[in-house]
Amino acid sequence: MSGWDGFLHGLSVAAQPDVLIYCVFGVLLGTFVGVLPGIGAMATISLLLPITYYLSPEAALVMLAGVYYGSQYGGAVASILLRLPGTPQSAVTTLDGYPLAQSGRAGVALFTSMISSFSGSMIGIVVLILLSGALARAAIAFGAAEYAAMMILGLVAASTVGAKYPAKGLAMVVLGLILGCIGTDVNSGVQRFTFGQTELMDGVNLVALAMGLFGVAEVIANIHVAERTGVPPRVALRELLPSRAELRRIPFPALRGASLGSFFGALPGTGSTISSFLAYAAERRISRRPEQFGTGAIEGIAGPEAANNAAAISAFVPTLALGIPGDPIMALMLGALVIHGVQPGPLMLDARPDMFWGLIASFGIGNLLLLILNLPLIGIWVSMLRIPFRWLYPAILIFVCLGVYSVRGSSFDMFAVAAIGLVGYALSLARFNPALLLLGFVLGPLIETNLRRALLIARGDPMVFLERPLAAAFMIAAAGLIVMSLVQVIRRRARSVGG
């Protein structure tokens, strides 16, 4: 079926009562964790992974996706009211959202962020509908060599593009690939890196790894953080409505931001954080009043918010169409698919059309729910900012323990998640990005499978990756990114020595 026919079919799937209930739950929970600085979508999705074992694949994926894009909405609330970004993507919103709130226009700033977020998401959905089906059909012609090379390119891009320390990013990816090798080899039956532990015969538990890296490590990192001292202002519903002049300043920045976000979100390794900063820089450059930016410019809120929400939706393009996660959260989504026995990638469009199009359709329903629910509930979200950290983090640890134990009923997993949490905290202190470890862990087995298949077909000749044009292009691009990163590091060191 065509893109729009598929979307209409997906609406019938997403409108089923059980799927719709979990969609509402996901977007509301996403908004809640987005509002609260220090939690974020990554840790929340990790905590929800054990619950997905008891849900249908469609309901599970819709719920997790709702948490992801719902957090984009919620992240702006703390940024605007307290100058505390609820998510990394909303950090740029503080530049103009907070000054506008301080001038008594907090309601207008919140309305601008929400309507721009909705606009960006809708444009991202259109891009997803137009691109994902076409990409999936084109990728069906890929062989094992193309898949392996494409995944290697995705990992290299995620660890080097825009990274301050590309070598550390590559190190995390390699560590993730090594962890993905632990367990019983599916071809030979040989146990690899299990060290005699029967609990590792099936490999490292994805849920324990994700919860440790992003749940336990986050709690440890925030133990020393002082309680929020700022008191969020009360926002009445009537204060949300902007004037006509302010309303006219929203559409074009939102459209430009959504266009940037849709483009960069679909590229592995870029993501919504880069998109939001690029949108802010673009608005400031083309504005006739650049001096207003940083003092409460409407455009400085509309552009970045539209960009990060469009990027959050379009990030599903490579994930659904090619089976390649564009960022660590998409890697978790990919892991949720694998948990339910669903093979992500181009064949998913034909094998599981209900899930493929139902998920895309749920984005439209979820974003509409966010717009309808969040404006009247803004008072509730503001009051959530008053929840003290000393209550929040012990509750998170309890949910981590319950969630990990519920997956396999193994005490080994509980010790593992504690150890992984300590390692994750140590990695963050050393300025390593643990999210890239998860990316390598999820893609590692897929790369190994396709690598072995390609070499088996080519009778062990590694030149197959250079003889096939598309695979060669992917490998050359990956090598080019590594070389560019090395050049940047050498230049940076030369400047530091010369300075």
Side-chain angles (χ1 to χ4, degrees):
M1 62 185 78
S2 67
W4 293 106
D5 290 338
F7 181 74
L8 293 175
H9 171 70
L11 285 174
S12 64
V13 177
Q16 293 175 5
D18 60 329
V19 177
L20 196 58
I21 288 170
Y22 284 105
C23 180
V24 174
F25 173 74
V27 296
L28 290 178
L29 181 61
T31 306
F32 172 70
V33 299
V35 167
L36 296 173
I39 300 180
M42 180 74 78
T44 307
I45 292 174
S46 303
L47 291 171
L48 289 176
L49 279 179
I51 298 176
T52 63
Y53 282 89
Y54 308 100
L55 305 179
S56 68
E58 291 82 6
L61 212 59
V62 164
M63 178 184 68
L64 297 180
V67 172
Y68 178 42
Y69 59 80
S71 67
Q72 310 292 323
Y73 279 73
V77 176
S79 297
I80 290 170
L81 298 182
L82 290 180
R83 207 174 186 177
L84 293 172
T87 60
Q89 296 87 346
S90 60
V92 71
T93 308
T94 62
L95 299 178
D96 282 285
Y98 184 71
L100 193 59
Q102 291 298 100
S103 65
R105 305 290 286 166
V108 173
L110 291 168
F111 176 86
T112 302
S113 72
M114 289 184 185
I115 202 70
S116 301
S117 297
F118 178 76
S119 304
S121 297
M122 291 298 108
I123 293 173
I125 291 169
V126 172
V127 171
L128 183 58
I129 293 170
L130 295 177
L131 289 184
S132 57
L135 266 180
R137 292 185 187 91
I140 289 176
F142 285 10
E146 285 82 6
Y147 269 119
M150 185 171 58
M151 291 178 190
I152 291 170
L153 174 59
L155 286 178
V156 172
S159 56
T160 58
V161 175
K164 188 175 181 181
Y165 305 104
K168 290 185 174 182
L170 287 171
M172 284 292 92
V173 166
V174 171
L175 181 57
L177 292 172
I178 293 171
L179 288 178
C181 292
I182 295 175
T184 305
D185 185 280
V186 293
N187 292 321
S188 65
V190 174
Q191 294 183 24
R192 303 183 299 188
F193 308 115
T194 59
F195 303 103
Q197 295 289 330
T198 56
E199 292 86 355
L200 291 176
M201 289 176 62
D202 292 330
V204 177
N205 188 345
L206 172 64
V207 176
L209 182 65
M211 283 189 170
L213 288 177
F214 308 110
V216 177
E218 192 69 33
V219 172
I220 297 172
N222 285 279
I223 286 175
H224 65 280
V225 175
E227 292 288 351
R228 296 180 289 268
T229 54
V231 178
R234 297 189 180 276
V235 181
L237 198 57
R238 62 179 178 274
E239 295 175 3
L240 293 172
L241 297 177
S243 64
R244 288 186 179 181
E246 290 169 331
L247 201 58
R248 284 195 294 268
R249 295 167 61 185
I250 297 174
F252 288 109
L255 181 61
R256 287 189 290 267
S259 302
L260 278 171
S262 297
F263 174 74
F264 285 101
L267 299 177
T270 52
S272 49
T273 304
I274 293 175
S275 303
S276 60
F277 277 93
L278 287 175
Y280 185 84
E283 289 305 316
R284 186 169 186 172
R285 181 169 297 178
I286 66 177
S287 175
R288 296 178 181 177
R289 301 177 295 272
E291 68 280 357
Q292 290 187 2
F293 281 75
T295 62
I298 295 288
E299 297 86 350
I301 303 172
E305 283 299 307
N308 70 46
N309 282 271
I313 298 297
S314 60
F316 283 88
V317 171
T319 306
L320 293 179
L322 304 175
I324 297 179
D327 59 35
I329 292 182
M330 290 298 104
L332 278 179
M333 302 294 291
L334 212 62
L337 285 172
V338 174
I339 284 173
H340 285 274
V342 178
Q343 179 63 43
L347 295 178
M348 182 181 169
L349 181 61
D350 293 325
R352 304 295 291 266
D354 288 354
M355 176 183 288
F356 189 94
W357 292 112
L359 177 63
I360 294 176
S362 75
F363 296 158
I365 295 174
N367 278 280
L368 187 61
L369 287 170
L370 281 167
L371 187 66
I372 294 172
L373 294 175
N374 277 351
L375 290 174
L377 295 179
I378 191 63
I380 295 176
W381 301 128
V382 172
S383 65
M384 294 297 178
L385 290 168
R386 299 183 175 89
I387 298 177
F389 288 146
R390 63 180 180 274
W391 295 352
L392 206 55
Y393 292 127
I396 291 174
L397 288 177
I398 291 172
F399 284 123
V400 165
C401 294
L402 291 175
V404 170
Y405 189 77
S406 68
V407 174
R408 298 193 299 189
S410 170
S411 58
F412 176 86
D413 289 342
M414 296 184 69
F415 288 110
V417 78
I420 292 168
L422 291 172
V423 171
Y425 175 60
L427 289 173
S428 62
L429 286 180
R431 296 186 180 180
F432 286 92
N433 186 357
L436 294 173
L437 186 154
L438 182 71
L439 205 59
F441 176 79
V442 172
L443 282 183
L446 298 175
I447 292 176
E448 182 185 9
T449 299
N450 285 284
L451 187 68
R452 281 183 164 184
R453 191 175 297 159
L455 290 174
L456 188 64
I457 294 171
R459 297 184 178 182
D461 185 7
M463 291 303 293
V464 67
F465 294 100
L466 297 178
E467 291 171 352
R468 297 178 69 94
L470 201 53
F474 289 143
M475 296 300 285
I476 291 169
L481 287 174
I482 293 173
V483 171
M484 286 173 58
S485 299
L486 287 173
V487 170
Q488 290 176 1
V489 170
I490 293 170
R491 285 181 177 176
R492 193 182 300 127
R493 289 188 177 180
R495 287 196 207 102
S496 62
V497 172

